[in-house]
Amino acid sequence: MRIAFFDTHRFDRAAFEEANAAFGHALTWFEPRLTLQTVGLAAGFPGVCSFVNDRLDGPCLQALAAGGTRLVALRSAGFNHVDLAEAARLGLTVVRVPEYSPQAVAEHTAALVLALNRKVHRAYARVREWNFSLDGLVGFDLHGKTVALVGLGRIGRATARIFHGFGCRLLAVDPQLKEEDARGLHLEPVALPEALARADILSLHVPLTPGTRHLIDAAALARMKPGAMLINTGRGALIDSQALLAALKSGHLGAAGLDVYEEEEGVFFQDLSGQVLQDDVLARLLTFPNVLITAHQAFLTREALGAIARTTLESIRRFERGEPLDATEVRAEQVLPR
Ligand code: NAI
């Protein structure tokens, strides 16, 4: 099948080209993100493959359908950037990669916690300047601390196993979590307010939906234990960034590790090092010594990239042959209302 790839980067192009040897699809690479402004590039392609910061809103989907596209293959687990109701109305099939390597994201979550706690990011910069002082680098033992996980799907569970290994006490916020699963993973199920009040570290692993947008707002931040650490490898808009700034400025929040940011679209995945950063909230967040930001790279392992490519190319083959798409198909009813 002829597929137009948008927002392509060297890392995913290499993984897809290698995996495609077994599929033989015709892949065309476009660097721009897929938006209403760039959708013309997709004209005549029966399939498009899109990434997390493309904007598949109603007008963009309408233009895709008008240009002859029938399949939208998301090379991501998240699908919050697609107007699924409009896709259904237009008869566009949407597929995603529901699971590629939960471990990749869970391990990056642990990397953020460890780096922030033991101040590895600061120590690295210091030692390179031949400053071997330890002042200001005091961390805490993870052993015995309380880690709250919000969302116990594939990634939340992989994260739970890691922190259990560190000897942490684990709280779980997820209405879908079964009692026997909680027991098996050493999790204590609690509601969000209790998790906020008790956690030394709170980590977000829920999808972004109308119901989870700004799940961590000013009120939630105020409920957190003073000095606690907040980690987000889910989606940026799970946290109200302005409220996060205020909680950091006041000193109430101890640290924040972010792999995603509410306004990352058009910023993350780009080299803007020669430019003036226009996002004042992001610029301010980057000034805190107790904030560590990575640019949506939690998924970025060789294993994950290979699995994303194989699952996506297999879904495209199945669509082309009219075979069932099973768990990779995304439907409008999967988005829970607030
Ligand atoms: P999943 O679908 O396996 O699990 C999500 C869990 O969240 C489910 O158990 C569900 O019951 C729970 N949940 C939904 N709403 C909730 C709420 N309001 N409160 C508590 N729990 C709630 O998803 P998976 O694979 O674990 O991924 C989670 C999210 O991580 C994705 O939706 C995606 O946005 C993000 N992600 C980020 C990546 C990165 O590179 N930073 C890579 C992959 C995923």
Side-chain angles (χ1 to χ4, degrees):
M1 190 168 183
R2 292 178 59 240
I3 305 288
F5 277 69
F6 284 82
D7 198 12
T8 56
H9 302 271
R10 258 188 314 216
F11 56 82
D12 50 15
R13 186 170 169 168
F16 269 91
E17 280 178 342
E18 190 184 330
N20 195 39
F23 293 90
H25 296 301
L27 313 182
T28 299
W29 305 99
F30 295 116
E31 283 180 17
R33 289 184 297 122
L34 177 54
T35 64
L36 186 57
Q37 283 68 44
T38 61
V39 69
L41 293 167
F45 283 90
V48 296
C49 184
S50 104
F51 201 33
V52 288
N53 287 329
D54 293 336
R55 195 179 301 160
L56 291 151
D57 53 12
C60 180
L61 292 169
Q62 286 153 20
L64 277 178
T69 297
R70 292 174 292 120
L71 175 69
V72 176
L74 311 174
R75 53 184 190 282
S76 60
F79 49 85
N80 49 283
H81 53 302
V82 188
D83 183 339
L84 291 172
E86 185 62 11
R89 202 188 61 75
L90 293 164
L92 284 167
T93 299
V94 181
V95 292
R96 65 171 178 139
V97 187
E99 171 169 348
Y100 43 89
S101 171
Q103 286 74 25
V105 183
E107 288 169 16
H108 193 76
T109 303
L112 289 174
V113 170
L114 290 168
L116 267 174
N117 173 29
R118 304 307 296 268
K119 306 178 176 38
V120 176
H121 55 308
R122 299 184 60 204
Y124 173 77
R126 227 181 241 199
V127 168
R128 284 169 65 94
E129 294 282 321
W130 302 353
N131 175 354
F132 302 106
S133 141
L134 299 183
D135 285 335
L137 299 184
V138 179
F140 55 81
D141 283 10
L142 271 177
H143 186 92
K145 293 297 180 300
T146 300
V147 175
L149 303 170
V150 184
L152 273 298
R154 300 171 186 89
I155 295 170
R157 286 164 196 239
T159 309
R161 289 186 195 98
I162 293 174
F163 285 102
H164 176 66
F166 277 111
C168 297
R169 181 190 299 269
L170 299 176
L171 307 180
V173 182
D174 190 329
Q176 306 295 329
L177 183 66
K178 294 197 185 78
E179 221 180 292
E180 64 265 30
D181 291 345
R183 256 199 317 276
L185 287 161
H186 311 276
L187 297 165
E188 180 186 345
V190 294
L192 183 60
E194 184 174 347
L196 292 166
R198 286 176 57 194
D200 298 299
I201 298 167
L202 187 100
S203 188
L204 304 176
H205 304 285
V206 291
L208 177 63
T209 64
T212 59
R213 182 170 211 92
H214 289 186
L215 188 68
I216 304 301
D217 56 9
L221 286 160
R223 281 201 172 112
M224 286 180 75
K225 240 175 155 169
M229 183 189 290
L230 175 63
I231 303 288
N232 189 7
T233 57
R235 282 291 180 268
L238 296 174
I239 299 178
D240 177 343
S241 313
Q242 294 282 357
L244 175 67
L245 258 191
L248 285 161
K249 274 173 85 173
S250 73
H252 179 71
L253 190 66
L258 312 173
D259 184 54
V260 285
Y261 169 62
E262 208 173 355
E263 304 295 335
E264 69 180 55
E265 192 185 310
V267 178
F268 283 12
F269 310 131
Q270 320 290 323
D271 178 0
L272 302 181
S273 54
Q275 300 180 32
V276 174
L277 189 56
Q278 294 300 320
D279 184 322
D280 291 351
V281 175
L282 179 59
R284 182 69 176 99
L285 282 172
L286 287 166
T287 66
F288 291 96
N290 51 348
V291 172
L292 183 50
I293 298 181
T294 51
H296 208 138
Q297 71 175 71
F299 72 99
L300 199 62
T301 65
R302 274 194 300 276
E303 291 78 2
L305 288 170
I308 289 169
R310 286 189 300 277
T311 303
T312 305
L313 296 170
E314 174 62 23
S315 296
I316 294 168
R317 174 153 76 185
R318 283 174 168 272
F319 176 81
E320 201 176 16
R321 292 179 176 173
E323 292 170 7
L325 294 161
D326 302 327
T328 65
E329 185 165 6
V330 203
R331 295 176 184 279
E333 55 270 23
Q334 281 173 253
V335 182
L336 307 169
R338 197 176 186 111

